[in-house]
Each structure stands twice: as structure tokens, then as C-alpha cells.
Coordinates of all heavy atoms in Angstrom, one line a residue:
N5 N -84.1 -65.4 -70.7 CA -83.8 -64.0 -70.8 C -84.0 -63.2 -69.5 O -84.8 -62.3 -69.4 CB -84.6 -63.3 -71.9 CG -84.1 -63.6 -73.3 OD1 -83.3 -64.6 -73.5 ND2 -84.5 -62.9 -74.3
P6 N -83.2 -63.7 -68.5 CA -83.5 -63.1 -67.1 C -83.3 -61.6 -67.0 O -83.9 -61.0 -66.2 CB -82.4 -63.8 -66.2 CG -82.1 -65.0 -67.0 CD -82.2 -64.7 -68.4
T7 N -82.5 -61.0 -67.9 CA -82.3 -59.6 -67.9 C -83.4 -58.8 -68.6 O -83.5 -57.6 -68.5 CB -81.0 -59.1 -68.5 OG1 -81.0 -59.5 -69.9 CG2 -79.8 -59.8 -67.8
G8 N -84.3 -59.5 -69.3 CA -85.4 -58.9 -70.0 C -85.2 -58.8 -71.5 O -85.3 -59.8 -72.2
T9 N -84.8 -57.6 -72.0 CA -84.6 -57.4 -73.4 C -83.3 -57.8 -73.9 O -82.2 -57.6 -73.2 CB -84.9 -55.9 -73.8 OG1 -86.2 -55.6 -73.3 CG2 -84.8 -55.7 -75.3
F10 N -83.2 -58.5 -75.0 CA -81.9 -59.0 -75.6 C -82.0 -58.8 -77.1 O -82.1 -59.8 -77.9 CB -81.6 -60.4 -75.2 CG -80.3 -61.0 -75.6 CD1 -79.3 -60.2 -76.2 CD2 -80.0 -62.3 -75.4 CE1 -78.1 -60.8 -76.6 CE2 -78.8 -62.9 -75.8 CZ -77.9 -62.1 -76.4
V11 N -82.1 -57.6 -77.6 CA -82.2 -57.3 -79.0 C -80.8 -57.0 -79.6 O -80.5 -57.5 -80.7 CB -83.1 -56.1 -79.3 CG1 -83.1 -55.7 -80.8 CG2 -84.6 -56.4 -78.8
I12 N -80.0 -56.3 -78.9 CA -78.6 -56.0 -79.3 C -77.8 -57.2 -78.9 O -77.6 -57.5 -77.7 CB -78.1 -54.7 -78.7 CG1 -78.9 -53.5 -79.1 CG2 -76.6 -54.5 -79.1 CD1 -78.6 -52.2 -78.3
G13 N -77.2 -57.9 -79.9 CA -76.5 -59.1 -79.6 C -75.3 -59.3 -80.5 O -75.0 -58.4 -81.4
G14 N -74.7 -60.4 -80.4 CA -73.5 -60.7 -81.3 C -72.4 -59.8 -81.0 O -72.3 -59.2 -80.0
P15 N -71.5 -59.7 -82.0 CA -70.3 -58.8 -81.8 C -70.7 -57.3 -81.6 O -69.8 -56.6 -81.2 CB -69.5 -59.0 -83.1 CG -69.9 -60.4 -83.6 CD -71.4 -60.5 -83.2
D16 N -71.9 -56.9 -81.9 CA -72.3 -55.5 -81.7 C -72.5 -55.3 -80.2 O -72.4 -54.2 -79.7 CB -73.5 -55.2 -82.5 CG -73.9 -53.7 -82.4 OD1 -73.0 -52.9 -82.3 OD2 -75.1 -53.4 -82.5
G17 N -72.9 -56.4 -79.5 CA -73.1 -56.3 -78.1 C -71.9 -56.6 -77.2 O -71.6 -55.9 -76.2
D18 N -71.1 -57.5 -77.7 CA -69.8 -57.9 -77.0 C -68.8 -58.3 -78.0 O -69.1 -59.0 -79.0 CB -70.0 -59.1 -76.0 CG -70.9 -58.8 -74.8 OD1 -70.3 -58.0 -74.0 OD2 -72.0 -59.2 -74.8
A19 N -67.5 -57.9 -77.8 CA -66.5 -58.3 -78.7 C -66.2 -59.8 -78.6 O -66.4 -60.4 -77.6 CB -65.2 -57.5 -78.4
G20 N -65.8 -60.4 -79.7 CA -65.5 -61.8 -79.7 C -64.1 -62.1 -80.1 O -63.5 -61.3 -80.8
L21 N -63.6 -63.2 -79.6 CA -62.3 -63.7 -80.0 C -62.3 -65.2 -80.2 O -63.0 -65.9 -79.5 CB -61.3 -63.4 -78.8 CG -60.9 -61.9 -78.6 CD1 -60.1 -61.8 -77.2 CD2 -60.1 -61.4 -79.7
T22 N -61.4 -65.7 -81.1 CA -61.2 -67.1 -81.3 C -60.7 -67.7 -80.0 O -59.9 -67.2 -79.3 CB -60.2 -67.3 -82.4 OG1 -60.7 -66.7 -83.6 CG2 -60.0 -68.8 -82.7
G23 N -61.2 -68.9 -79.7 CA -60.7 -69.7 -78.7 C -61.0 -69.4 -77.2 O -60.4 -69.8 -76.3
R24 N -62.1 -68.6 -77.0 CA -62.5 -68.3 -75.7 C -63.6 -69.2 -75.1 O -64.0 -68.9 -74.0 CB -62.9 -66.8 -75.6 CG -61.8 -65.8 -75.7 CD -62.2 -64.5 -75.0 NE -63.3 -63.9 -75.6 CZ -63.6 -62.6 -75.5 NH1 -62.9 -61.8 -74.7 NH2 -64.7 -62.1 -76.1
K25 N -64.0 -70.2 -75.8 CA -65.0 -71.1 -75.3 C -64.5 -72.5 -75.2 O -65.2 -73.5 -75.7 CB -66.3 -70.9 -76.1 CG -67.0 -69.6 -75.9 CD -67.6 -69.5 -74.6 CE -68.2 -68.1 -74.3 NZ -67.2 -67.1 -74.0
I26 N -63.4 -72.7 -74.6 CA -62.7 -74.0 -74.6 C -63.5 -75.1 -73.7 O -63.4 -76.3 -74.0 CB -61.3 -74.0 -74.2 CG1 -61.1 -73.4 -72.8 CG2 -60.5 -73.2 -75.2 CD1 -59.7 -73.4 -72.3
I27 N -64.2 -74.6 -72.7 CA -65.0 -75.6 -71.9 C -66.3 -75.9 -72.6 O -66.7 -77.1 -72.6 CB -65.2 -75.0 -70.5 CG1 -63.9 -74.7 -69.8 CG2 -66.1 -76.0 -69.7 CD1 -63.0 -75.9 -69.7
V28 N -66.9 -75.0 -73.3 CA -68.0 -75.2 -74.1 C -67.7 -76.2 -75.2 O -68.4 -77.1 -75.6 CB -68.6 -73.9 -74.7 CG1 -69.6 -74.2 -75.8 CG2 -69.2 -73.1 -73.6
D29 N -66.5 -76.0 -75.8 CA -66.0 -76.9 -76.9 C -65.8 -78.3 -76.5 O -65.8 -79.2 -77.4 CB -64.7 -76.3 -77.5 CG -64.9 -75.1 -78.4 OD1 -66.1 -74.8 -78.8 OD2 -63.9 -74.4 -78.6
T30 N -65.6 -78.6 -75.2 CA -65.2 -79.9 -74.8 C -66.2 -80.6 -74.0 O -67.2 -81.1 -74.5 CB -63.8 -79.8 -74.1 OG1 -63.9 -78.8 -73.1 CG2 -62.7 -79.4 -75.1
Y31 N -66.1 -80.6 -72.6 CA -66.9 -81.4 -71.8 C -67.7 -80.6 -70.8 O -68.2 -81.2 -69.8 CB -66.0 -82.5 -71.1 CG -65.2 -83.2 -72.1 CD1 -63.8 -82.9 -72.2 CD2 -65.7 -84.2 -72.9 CE1 -63.0 -83.6 -73.2 CE2 -65.0 -84.9 -73.8 CZ -63.6 -84.6 -74.0 OH -62.8 -85.2 -74.9
G32 N -67.8 -79.4 -70.9 CA -68.6 -78.5 -70.0 C -68.2 -78.5 -68.6 O -69.0 -78.3 -67.7
G33 N -66.9 -78.7 -68.4 CA -66.3 -78.7 -67.1 C -66.3 -80.0 -66.3 O -65.8 -80.2 -65.2
A34 N -66.9 -81.1 -67.0 CA -67.0 -82.4 -66.4 C -65.6 -83.1 -66.4 O -65.5 -84.2 -65.8 CB -68.0 -83.2 -67.1
A35 N -64.7 -82.6 -67.2 CA -63.3 -83.2 -67.3 C -62.3 -82.1 -67.3 O -62.6 -81.0 -67.6 CB -63.3 -84.1 -68.5
P36 N -61.0 -82.5 -67.0 CA -60.0 -81.4 -67.1 C -59.8 -80.9 -68.5 O -60.2 -81.6 -69.5 CB -58.7 -82.2 -66.6 CG -59.2 -83.4 -65.9 CD -60.5 -83.8 -66.6
H37 N -59.1 -79.8 -68.6 CA -58.8 -79.2 -69.9 C -57.4 -78.7 -69.8 O -57.0 -78.1 -68.9 CB -59.7 -78.0 -70.2 CG -59.7 -77.6 -71.7 ND1 -58.6 -77.1 -72.3 CD2 -60.7 -77.7 -72.6 CE1 -58.9 -76.8 -73.5 NE2 -60.1 -77.2 -73.8
G38 N -56.6 -78.9 -70.9 CA -55.2 -78.5 -70.9 C -55.0 -77.1 -71.2 O -53.9 -76.6 -71.0
G39 N -56.0 -76.3 -71.6 CA -55.9 -74.9 -71.8 C -55.8 -74.5 -73.3 O -56.0 -73.3 -73.6
G40 N -55.5 -75.4 -74.2 CA -55.3 -75.0 -75.6 C -56.6 -75.0 -76.3 O -57.5 -75.9 -76.2
A41 N -56.8 -73.9 -77.1 CA -58.0 -73.8 -78.0 C -57.8 -74.6 -79.3 O -56.7 -75.0 -79.6 CB -58.4 -72.4 -78.3
F42 N -58.9 -74.8 -80.0 CA -58.9 -75.6 -81.2 C -59.0 -74.8 -82.5 O -58.2 -75.0 -83.5 CB -60.1 -76.6 -81.2 CG -60.1 -77.5 -80.1 CD1 -61.3 -78.1 -79.6 CD2 -59.0 -77.9 -79.4 CE1 -61.4 -79.0 -78.6 CE2 -59.0 -78.8 -78.3 CZ -60.3 -79.3 -77.9
S43 N -59.9 -73.9 -82.6 CA -60.3 -73.3 -83.9 C -59.2 -72.5 -84.5 O -58.4 -71.8 -83.8 CB -61.6 -72.4 -83.7 OG -62.7 -73.2 -83.5
G44 N -59.1 -72.6 -85.8 CA -58.1 -71.8 -86.6 C -56.8 -72.5 -86.7 O -55.8 -72.0 -87.3
K45 N -56.6 -73.7 -86.0 CA -55.3 -74.4 -86.0 C -55.4 -75.6 -86.8 O -56.3 -76.5 -86.7 CB -55.0 -74.8 -84.5 CG -54.9 -73.6 -83.6 CD -54.6 -74.1 -82.2 CE -54.5 -72.9 -81.2 NZ -54.3 -73.3 -79.8
D46 N -54.3 -75.8 -87.7 CA -54.2 -77.0 -88.5 C -53.9 -78.2 -87.6 O -53.4 -78.0 -86.4 CB -53.2 -76.8 -89.6 CG -51.8 -76.9 -89.1 OD1 -51.3 -78.0 -88.8 OD2 -51.1 -75.8 -89.0
P47 N -54.0 -79.4 -88.1 CA -53.9 -80.6 -87.2 C -52.4 -80.9 -86.8 O -52.2 -81.9 -86.1 CB -54.5 -81.7 -88.0 CG -54.5 -81.3 -89.4 CD -54.6 -79.8 -89.4

């Protein structure tokens, strides 16, 4: 918690959107990514 206090969080602190964490979802930047998100999509 380098900024100190972190009581206000989640969508009340920052807006959220599906598909904005594609590097977290995959390999953390250790491999290329094609750019397409996963969640909410059928196979």
C-alpha cells in the first residue's frame, strides 16, 4: 500500500470494464498477446 490508505476500492474507486486485463489473464507480458479479451465470449 505505497500510497498509504486504501479503504475506498472496487468499482466505487475506479470504473471497471470487461476485458481490460488481458496481460494479467495470460502470461504477464512474458509472451505476445493478440489483443483479444476472453470473458463474456462463448467458445
